[in-house]
């Protein structure tokens, strides 16, 4: 069914600060089903490829360095209207602008170290899921 999956990463600082469990709990409490999940460290090339859409932006090389600096948790989440509902749950890119009660308001440090990634379209959710998980890694 179109629109029922999104892809997330818990970013390196949130993992190292021990926020993975509370973030996963919020994901569960808000009605998302985790259909694939793993902990891994992105190589610099992985991070470059994943964020290639931002390659002309001034923050790109810092972002690539940050995203490959330590382990992340990658997951595919299932729910009706998953992409939009998850973007609402994570809040604005800049935690200073994120709404009360959102993941980024609660757990993000800065606009770069903003705790989690969430897909911005159904097409990107599909592509990002494929980037990390084969069909046999999905349940
Ligand atoms: P994500 O794609 O990680 O879910 P987003 O869709 O809210 O975040 P994007 O515009 O796609 O935001 O930016 C991708 C990531 O690049 C941000 O999550 C953040 O880590 C980093 N980033 C975005 N804008 C800035 C900025 N002005 N300065 C530093 N880093 C930034
Ligand atoms: Mg984005």
């Amino acid at each position: 069914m179109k629109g029922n999956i999104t892809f997330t990463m818990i970013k390196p600082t949130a993992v190292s600060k021990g926020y993975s469990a509370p973030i996963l709990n919020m994901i569960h409490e808000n009605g998302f089903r985790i259909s694939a999940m793993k902990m891994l460290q992105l190589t610099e090339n992985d991070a470059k490829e994943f964020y290639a859409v931002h390659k002309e932006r001034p923050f790109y090389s810092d972002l690539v360095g940050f995203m490959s600096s330590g382990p992340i948790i990658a997951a595919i989440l299932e729910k009706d209207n998953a992409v939009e509902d998850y973007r609402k749950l994570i809040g604005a890119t800049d935690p200073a602008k994120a709404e009360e009660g959102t993941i980024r308001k609660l757990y993000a440090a800065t606009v770069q170290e903003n705790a989690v990634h969430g897909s911005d379209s159904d097409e990107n959710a599909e592509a990002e899921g494929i980037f990390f998980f084969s069909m046999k890694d999905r349940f």
Side-chain angles (χ1 to χ4, degrees):
M1 184 182 30
K2 192 171 161 61
N4 74 340
I5 68 156
T6 191
F7 171 78
T8 190
M9 291 184 283
I10 303 177
K11 298 187 180 185
T13 330
V15 171
S16 66
K17 285 183 174 167
Y19 297 153
S20 303
I23 290 170
L24 289 169
N25 193 47
M26 281 182 77
I27 288 170
H28 172 71
E29 292 293 326
N30 282 274
F32 294 87
R33 189 181 83 83
I34 296 170
S35 61
M37 183 163 70
K38 64 182 162 189
M39 190 174 194
L40 74 155
Q41 185 161 357
L42 294 173
T43 64
E44 209 179 296
N45 274 341
D46 290 334
K48 277 187 184 159
E49 196 181 332
F50 188 86
Y51 280 115
V53 58
H54 295 305
K55 66 175 180 291
E56 307 304 336
R57 308 283 290 277
F59 58 79
Y60 180 63
S61 62
D62 275 358
L63 177 62
V64 166
F66 165 57
M67 286 303 296
S68 56
S69 67
I72 59 147
I73 290 174
I76 296 174
L77 311 178
E78 272 181 23
K79 183 183 186 296
D80 285 347
N81 203 35
V83 166
E84 197 186 331
D85 287 2
Y86 192 61
R87 296 288 299 198
K88 265 189 216 138
L89 179 62
I90 70 180
T93 307
D94 180 351
K97 296 181 186 144
E99 301 71 11
E100 289 300 326
T102 59
I103 292 175
R104 283 171 167 163
K105 184 71 178 186
L106 290 165
Y107 299 113
T110 65
V111 65
Q112 176 175 270
E113 298 182 41
N114 61 359
V116 286
H117 163 78
S119 306
D120 58 11
S121 65
D122 292 339
E123 293 69 24
N124 284 339
E126 279 297 330
E128 291 168 3
I130 289 166
F131 189 88
F132 284 89
F133 298 102
S134 70
M135 291 319 287
K136 69 176 167 35
D137 294 329
R138 301 181 188 211
F139 300 93

